[in-house]
Amino acid sequence: MPAIVVNDNVVRIVILIIFGLPITIIDIKRHIISPIYTITFMVIGGAYFLHYRLSYDQGIQLVIVMLITIVYHLILRNNIGGGDLKLFAILGLYFYLDIWLIGVILTGIFGLAIFLFLQIFTDRKIVVAKNKVAFAPAIFVGFFSSAVLAFVVR
């Protein structure tokens, strides 16, 4: 019986849906990302990384992802939550660096779009450091879009 071959990007998209939707819903409702989801997401991501992608180049990539995440924390100190930063780092386990960087850029674009929408079309005006905005939806949509883009292009 022939083996079933599954596209690597399809696996990423399914994992993003399984973890991204609950994390997004909880972040919208409570403005916090539950450690239970991030730890589970990280363990599965670590297993995925060790099984499919462990190499010297990918180890270097993981270090680069962690450094970029630390720089994000230093620049956006009070404007981005620790759970959001953990999501960025965990997603580095699932994506190659080029697709991860596209996901980060798309996350910024979607985050800005959400912020502008809330500022212009709702009564909920955002004052930085006073009102919290759930950033997990932007992260989910940004990385989901980069995964779909990788699936279409590759």
Side-chain angles (χ1 to χ4, degrees), residues 2 6 9 13 19 24 32-33 36 39 41 45 51 64 71 86 90 103 106 118-120 131 138:
V6 178
N9 292 311
I13 291 169
F19 285 98
T24 297
I32 192 165
I33 297 173
I36 293 169
I39 290 170
F41 197 25
H51 186 267
I64 291 170
V71 169
K86 286 181 219 167
I90 292 167
L106 291 174
L118 290 173
Q119 286 292 94
I120 295 169
N131 294 343

Side-chain angles (χ1 to χ4, degrees), residues 57-76:
D57 293 339
Q58 298 308 319
I60 297 294
Q61 173 193 320
L62 200 54
V63 171
I64 291 170
V65 165
M66 295 306 289
L67 290 174
I68 292 172
T69 304
I70 290 168
V71 169
Y72 253 86
H73 172 66
L74 294 174
I75 293 172
L76 302 171

Side-chain angles (χ1 to χ4, degrees), residues 4 22 25 56 70 78 87 93-95 102 115 122 125-126:
I4 298 173
I25 291 167
Y56 176 77
I70 290 168
N78 293 325
L87 279 180
L93 295 169
Y94 291 95
F95 292 94
I102 291 170
F115 175 80
T122 69
K125 301 299 180 196
I126 307 301

Side-chain angles (χ1 to χ4, degrees), residues 105-125:
I105 291 167
L106 291 174
T107 295
I109 292 169
F110 288 118
L112 181 62
I114 291 168
F115 175 80
L116 291 174
F117 177 82
L118 290 173
Q119 286 292 94
I120 295 169
F121 296 110
T122 69
D123 293 336
R124 185 175 169 206
K125 301 299 180 196

Side-chain angles (χ1 to χ4, degrees), residues 6-23 41 44 48 91 94-95 140 143-148 151:
V6 178
N7 186 313
D8 199 27
N9 292 311
V10 172
V11 173
R12 290 184 188 116
I13 291 169
V14 169
I15 291 172
L16 274 172
I17 291 170
I18 290 170
F19 285 98
L21 287 177
I23 289 172
F41 197 25
I44 291 172
Y48 175 84
L91 287 165
Y94 291 95
F95 292 94
F140 173 65
F143 278 91
F144 184 81
S145 299
S146 70
V148 170
F151 176 71

